[in-house]
Every structure is written in structure tokens, then in C-alpha cells.
Amino acid sequence: MLDKTKKDWWKSAVFYQVYPKSFQDTDGDGFGDLRGVIGRLDYLEKLGVDGIWLSPVYASPQKDNGYDISDYRGVDPRFGTMEDMEELIARARERGISIIMDLVLNHSSDRHPWFLAAKADRESPCHDYYIWRDGTPDTPPNDMTATFGGPAWTWAPETGQWYFNMFSPWQPDLNWENPALRRELYDMIRFWVDKGVEGFRLDVIDNIGKTPDEKITFNGPHLHEYIRELRREAFREDTLVTVGEAWSADVETAKRYANPDGSELSMIFQFEHTTLDQKSKWEPIPLSLVKLKKCYERWQNGLRGEGWNSLFLNNHDLPRTVSRWGDDGKYRVESAKMLAAMCHGMQGTPYIYQGEELGMTNIRLPIEQYDDLEIKNAYREQLEQGRAEEDILSAIYARGRDNARTPMQWSAAEHAGFSQAEPWLPVNPNYREINAQAALADPGSVFFYYQSLIALRKCYPVFQDGSFTLLEPESEQLFTYTRSAETEELLVVCNFTGESVPYLRPEPFANAELLLSNYEPAAGVLRPYEAQMLYRRKR
Ligand code: TEU
């Protein structure tokens, strides 16, 4: 178990993201719940993770699966009760697993009592908790659009004003310029810290300083002032782990959020590596391995000593990486392991998204079976713009968020052991083959590979500290790099293709120890999606 009284303990930790709606249903409503998470703690302990990032379980109308909160201090009855949450925190802690809650501080639900009061009365003290502009119903303040479709301004006839919504009309943006609002949020965070929550993932934190009149949504003028205040007022303990989601971050701006002086957050989620194989969200293009490697290199070297990154392939907003960069057919197991080795060999804190450790894949559904508001809006808007339906669908198959949100595949039983009832989103039909029960019965499974990766990070300090050097930067087939510390060195070798590729290890690693592999190594060649982790002592 990690010593979590140590500041920076999270640098040697591995986290696991639970998307509770899809994790495990116990009360037979087809919707995952907290008792389901409690019931699967043994599984997570076996995997070896140190913490769970729990996607939102707060009371919510679920327009955006909980990223629209109507009560920040309450548990949504669909997920369970406050007692369930307290029990989860306690039971997890007994196993050395910390609970990291999702914090959606950029916006609330339009059903939050603050917003209801704000919308009903301009004189309400809550009115200024949101962003309002006067006007007339036919002319919004400007032409900004919302992430999930439509304008970023919604008319409220009650007050005769427009309110600002970056994501959807059901998610009005909070006005961080209002000190009383900020105080409410800090007090709410303390409420959860007092319950034993050991950290937070901060949803779209780079948006909280927005100034919509200037059309600035990311990196607003007061952004870092607010984050520093958050740290001082709400994240008081040095041992709390805080990870900020920042789609806008580049290497330079990332350093501010995750500055080692501890004045802001522990680390960030940045997404550059997930944007290289697309012209825009719904226009995928083939991945250039050279570009991907250069991107990782820039981040690994750029943040070294100056910030702390997280490492991830998947989350609830991204398609399954085994389907995206690997091969989810013939070489599913090999490529899932290769991608894991590529990612977990680097410097940063790894996050595993539920089902990734099983090699779960993307899904294709008839359009009416999708649930995600982003998918539904994109489908409608692109049809209106005249894009061919089959092109829209193929973009949704490749990039839609529901790829990641299908129910967790626990067993070959009906509904994949996720629920007794029809799940809220269809189970991937491949659950009979791909499921946790099968993985646990097979020592060669993706699950046990992840278990080894997590254990290795705990055994060898080079995973945490070693400097990164990209080898063969121009190869479109191989991703190879070293991590080097004073006395030890790691070599990670990944074949990103479905072909065998000739390969000779660099000389210093000729007799190195093989820490982990997904094939029995053969001289002079890497088989399809082969990955090796090699280790040597320098002296
Ligand atoms: O995501 C931030 C975000 O910008 C995403 O909407 C992203 O642009 C999109 O998913 C790409 O397809 C966070 C949450 O992770 C997401 O689930 C929420 O929907 C969103 O914020 C709003 O809270």
C-alpha cells in the first residue's frame, strides 16, 4: 500500500476511472449504482489500483450523465444513498483505494435550486451565480455555439434575459466572478473532504475564467487566480490529489496548472494525443505514428521537473483506444497490451478507464439506440448541413462517446453480468468473449497484463523518475523509448502494426531483463503489436 500521508503520493499511484452508470447495477433498474462499485472493490484491489476516479454521482437530471448537477451535496437516488457513498469511501480505504470525486464547477444543472431562483427573479441573490445578458428574444448577445449543439445563449422569458451555456441549455455556466458563488463551491468541497474523499477530478477547469463578451472560453484572465484560491480555500491538505481536465492545455500552459510549487493542482489531463488523428471531432483521419511520438516526446520532456502529467488512453468521452489505434479484431489482446505498455512506461500518473483492462472495444448501434446528447446533436446538425448519413454514422462509430459507455462486461451471463434488467445502453455483443470472468481465468489476459504494469510501477523507481528519450523518431511502425535514471534504465519497444517488423535492440539492452512482454520474444523481429519492456542496471 502506498503511504498516502506523503505529499505527492499520487506520483507513484495508478488510478481507475469508474463511470458508475455503466459499472455494475445491483438494484435491477439497468442503471449502475454505488452498491455495485462496493461489490467490485475486490476486483479493483486485485488489479492493484490505488484510487478510483468516480464520475459524478451527485443528484442530477442526467441530461449529460451527471455532468449536470442539481445538488452538489446529495447522491442521486439512482446511484444510491449518502450511506452507500460513505460505505464506499470506507470500504475502499480499507483496501488502500482512495475515492477521487468528479467536480463539475463550470456549470450546474438548470434544475439546480440556484438556477431556478436565478431564473425566477433578477433580484434573487443567486441571480448573479450565473451569466446573464439583457436583450431581446430574437437576438442572442453573440454567435457563440455550445459544445453539444445550438447556441451558447438561451433565452429566459421569466427574466427577459439570455443566460450563457457552454455545453447545453441544461448546463448553465456558473459565474466565477461572484465571490459568494465561489464560497458556496469551496464549502461544498469541504463537505466531501470531511466525508473522507481524498481528491477531485475537476471537469473542464480551463473554462471557469471565461469572459463570453470577448468570446473567451478557455484560459480567461482570472483563471489561475481562481484555481489558486480553490487550492487555498478548498484543497487545503497537501495530500489531496487534484487533477484538472484541460482540453486547451499545451505544454506551456500545462505547467501553470500542475506547477510543482503546489500552488494549483497536482496534475492535469491534457488531450493533445487524442486530437492528432482527426481534422475535427467528427472528421477522423489516419493516425501518423510519427506525429503521435513527437507529441508524447514534447509532453514528456516539456513537463519534466516543471509539472506533472496524467497518462491515459481512454475515458468516458473518448472512443476505445484498442479500436482506434490498435486492432479490435484478430490482434485485440496483443494490441491492447501494446498500447498499455506504451502508455504506462512513461512519466506521469496512469488512469485506466473501466473495461480498458479487459480490452473492451467500440460498438456500432442504430442511431436511435444512442443515448449521448453529443452524438444525437451531432447527427441532427450534420444531417441539416447536408452531410451524407453514412459518413455521419461512420464518424459516430469512430468517435462517439457511447463507445466508452456501454456496460462493463463482467461475465458471459445475460446483460454481461452488469444488470438483471435491460441496461440503459446496450451491452456490446462481444461480451460473451470479452468479459472479466474470462479474463480472470486466463493468465495471459489483458487484465493480468495491466496488473503487472501497475505492480512494475511500484517496484522500479525509474517509472516515476526516469528521463524520457524517444528512439527511432521517424519510424511509422515502431514506438520505442527509454526511461533513464541514475542507476537503472528501461526500454519500451512497441510494434504499432499488424505486421512483423525486423528489430534489433540497442546494444546496452542486449542482455537486459525482460520485465513484461505480450509474446515469447524472438531474435531480430517484433511480431504484430508486440511490446517489450526491458530493464537494466547501469552499474
Ligand atoms: O468534458 C469536456 C469536454 O469538453 C467534452 O465535452 C469534450 O469536448 C467532448 O466530450 C469531446 O467529445 C467534460 C466531461 O468529461 C464530459 O463528459 C461532459 O459532458 C462535459 O465536460 C460537460 O460537463
Side-chain angles (χ1 to χ4, degrees):
M1 260 192 217
L2 288 180
D3 177 4
K4 292 181 179 172
T5 60
K6 235 179 69 203
K7 172 171 168 286
D8 294 1
W9 62 268
W10 36 266
K11 286 192 177 172
S12 40
V14 178
F15 291 96
Y16 184 94
Q17 183 189 354
V18 167
Y19 196 66
K21 194 173 176 181
S22 302
F23 194 62
Q24 176 72 71
D25 176 25
T26 58
D27 60 2
D29 60 359
F31 195 103
D33 46 49
L34 288 169
R35 301 226 65 85
V37 186
I38 296 170
R40 293 298 182 179
L41 286 171
D42 286 346
Y43 172 85
L44 297 178
E45 186 179 13
K46 188 172 184 114
L47 184 59
V49 296
D50 306 289
I52 294 174
W53 153 24
L54 188 65
S55 276
V57 293
Y58 309 90
S60 160
Q62 303 287 331
K63 288 278 185 191
D64 187 20
N65 289 346
Y67 288 90
D68 50 322
I69 298 172
S70 55
D71 178 4
Y72 287 93
R73 295 175 190 234
V75 171
D76 195 288
R78 275 165 285 199
F79 288 123
T81 62
M82 187 57 85
E83 289 68 43
D84 295 334
M85 186 65 200
E86 287 163 355
E87 190 179 330
L88 171 62
I89 294 168
R91 294 285 94 79
R93 193 192 287 250
E94 286 161 14
R95 292 169 163 84
I97 299 176
S98 303
I99 298 295
I100 309 300
M101 278 183 99
D102 219 308
L103 268 182
V104 189
L105 304 177
N106 179 70
H107 46 269
S108 74
S109 159
D110 66 337
R111 303 280 103 193
H112 194 291
W114 296 337
F115 189 73
L116 295 177
K119 195 165 100 157
D121 180 4
R122 281 182 188 228
E123 301 308 317
S124 156
C126 292
H127 187 261
D128 191 47
Y129 284 15
Y130 296 87
I131 299 170
W132 301 95
R133 295 291 175 267
D134 292 334
T136 50
D138 44 321
T139 325
N142 60 35
D143 62 358
M144 292 171 77
T145 55
T147 306
F148 301 140
W153 298 96
T154 302
W155 179 252
E158 298 88 335
T159 52
Q161 286 180 307
W162 294 90
Y163 66 86
F164 184 70
N165 55 260
M166 250 201 76
F167 289 93
S168 78
W170 305 285
Q171 295 162 297
D173 279 59
L174 291 164
N175 176 22
W176 271 73
E177 287 176 18
N178 182 302
L181 178 261
R182 300 205 301 276
R183 174 50 51 203
E184 297 253 23
L185 294 175
Y186 304 154
D187 290 348
M188 173 276 289
I189 293 169
R190 296 308 300 173
F191 168 86
W192 289 106
V193 173
D194 291 345
K195 289 219 175 280
V197 165
E198 290 174 86
F200 298 93
R201 175 263 186 189
L202 294 97
D203 193 59
V204 293
I205 199 65
D206 48 353
N207 290 132
I208 61 171
K210 71 194 80 76
T211 52
D213 296 321
E214 287 82 43
K215 300 192 188 178
I216 293 174
T217 50
F218 295 105
N219 302 311
H222 302 293
L223 171 66
H224 291 281
E225 207 179 292
Y226 297 148
I227 298 178
R228 284 195 296 271
E229 187 177 274
L230 249 172
R231 164 72 166 107
R232 281 195 312 272
E233 299 290 325
F235 305 143
R236 287 185 220 135
E237 294 78 359
D238 282 340
T239 50
L240 277 179
V241 41
T242 52
V243 48
E245 186 202 27
W247 281 77
S248 68
D250 59 26
V251 175
E252 286 317 306
T253 55
K255 291 177 186 170
R256 296 197 65 183
Y257 299 94
N259 190 325
D261 75 4
S263 57
E264 296 198 11
L265 307 175
S266 315
M267 64 184 119
I268 65 153
F269 284 128
Q270 57 78 22
F271 293 86
E272 196 181 330
H273 59 292
T274 72
T275 61
L276 303 171
D277 56 349
Q278 57 195 41
K279 280 196 253 169
S280 66
K281 165 92 192 184
W282 303 110
E283 289 175 290
I285 54 171
L287 176 71
S288 152
L289 183 60
V290 169
K291 268 199 203 159
L292 182 71
K293 291 191 290 190
K294 291 189 174 160
C295 170
Y296 274 115
E297 181 186 37
R298 209 165 44 247
W299 280 96
Q300 287 289 298
N301 294 334
L303 284 199
R304 187 165 172 76
E306 295 185 64
W308 194 256
N309 213 341
S310 56
L311 303 167
F312 66 95
L313 295 168
N314 298 277
N315 70 25
H316 64 294
D317 293 331
L318 299 169
R320 296 278 179 184
T321 304
V322 70
S323 300
R324 183 177 188 169
W325 296 344
D327 172 353
D328 61 9
K330 185 169 174 199
Y331 295 115
R332 185 185 62 83
V333 170
E334 290 80 358
S335 64
K337 293 177 181 174
M338 181 279 286
L339 290 163
M342 182 274 288
C343 177
H344 284 237
M346 294 197 204
Q347 184 168 49
T349 298
Y351 288 75
I352 300 163
Y353 177 66
Q354 65 184 43
E356 177 183 336
E357 78 285 10
L358 303 175
M360 276 177 62
T361 67
N362 282 352
I363 194 170
R364 293 178 176 210
L365 294 171
I367 189 66
E368 59 286 354
Q369 287 186 27
Y370 285 103
D371 176 88
D372 179 22
L373 84 166
E374 182 178 58
I375 293 180
K376 290 180 182 165
N377 277 316
Y379 177 80
R380 192 174 31 78
E381 284 191 352
Q382 293 178 63
L383 267 190
E384 281 163 17
Q385 288 157 10
R387 190 175 183 196
E389 191 188 18
E390 60 182 82
D391 292 349
I392 304 173
L393 286 175
S394 78
I396 291 171
Y397 300 153
R399 291 292 184 271
R401 303 196 296 182
D402 282 343
N403 281 308
R405 299 176 179 184
T406 60
M408 182 71 179
Q409 293 164 209
W410 292 109
S411 72
E414 201 187 2
H415 309 310
F418 163 72
S419 173
Q420 301 291 334
E422 195 65 31
W424 68 277
L425 186 69
V427 169
N428 194 311
N430 62 23
Y431 75 93
R432 288 209 172 73
E433 182 205 340
I434 305 171
N435 62 64
Q437 199 177 23
L440 291 172
D442 171 10
S445 68
V446 181
F447 178 93
F448 286 112
Y449 194 87
Y450 270 89
Q451 187 192 55
S452 301
L453 280 171
I454 296 167
L456 286 171
R457 184 165 281 269
K458 305 278 161 61
C459 288
Y460 298 94
V462 67
F463 279 87
Q464 188 184 311
D465 304 327
S467 64
F468 176 94
T469 305
L470 180 65
L471 308 177
E472 303 169 273
E474 299 308 325
S475 168
E476 275 292 355
Q477 297 174 305
L478 303 183
F479 193 159
T480 59
Y481 61 86
T482 55
R483 299 284 313 285
S484 195
E486 211 178 315
T487 57
E488 46 174 10
E489 193 170 28
L490 179 74
L491 170 67
V492 180
V493 177
C494 298
N495 177 1
F496 252 74
T497 76
E499 316 289 324
S500 288
V501 177
Y503 178 71
L504 288 177
R505 285 180 203 168
E507 202 279 322
F509 285 90
N511 297 312
E513 180 189 346
L514 182 69
L515 292 183
L516 193 63
S517 63
N518 57 352
Y519 284 85
E520 196 55 54
V525 66
L526 294 171
R527 271 70 53 90
Y529 298 104
E530 182 162 351
Q532 300 176 3
M533 275 190 168
L534 295 141
Y535 178 83
R536 70 179 191 102
R537 293 208 167 272
K538 287 181 168 169
R539 53 183 151 78

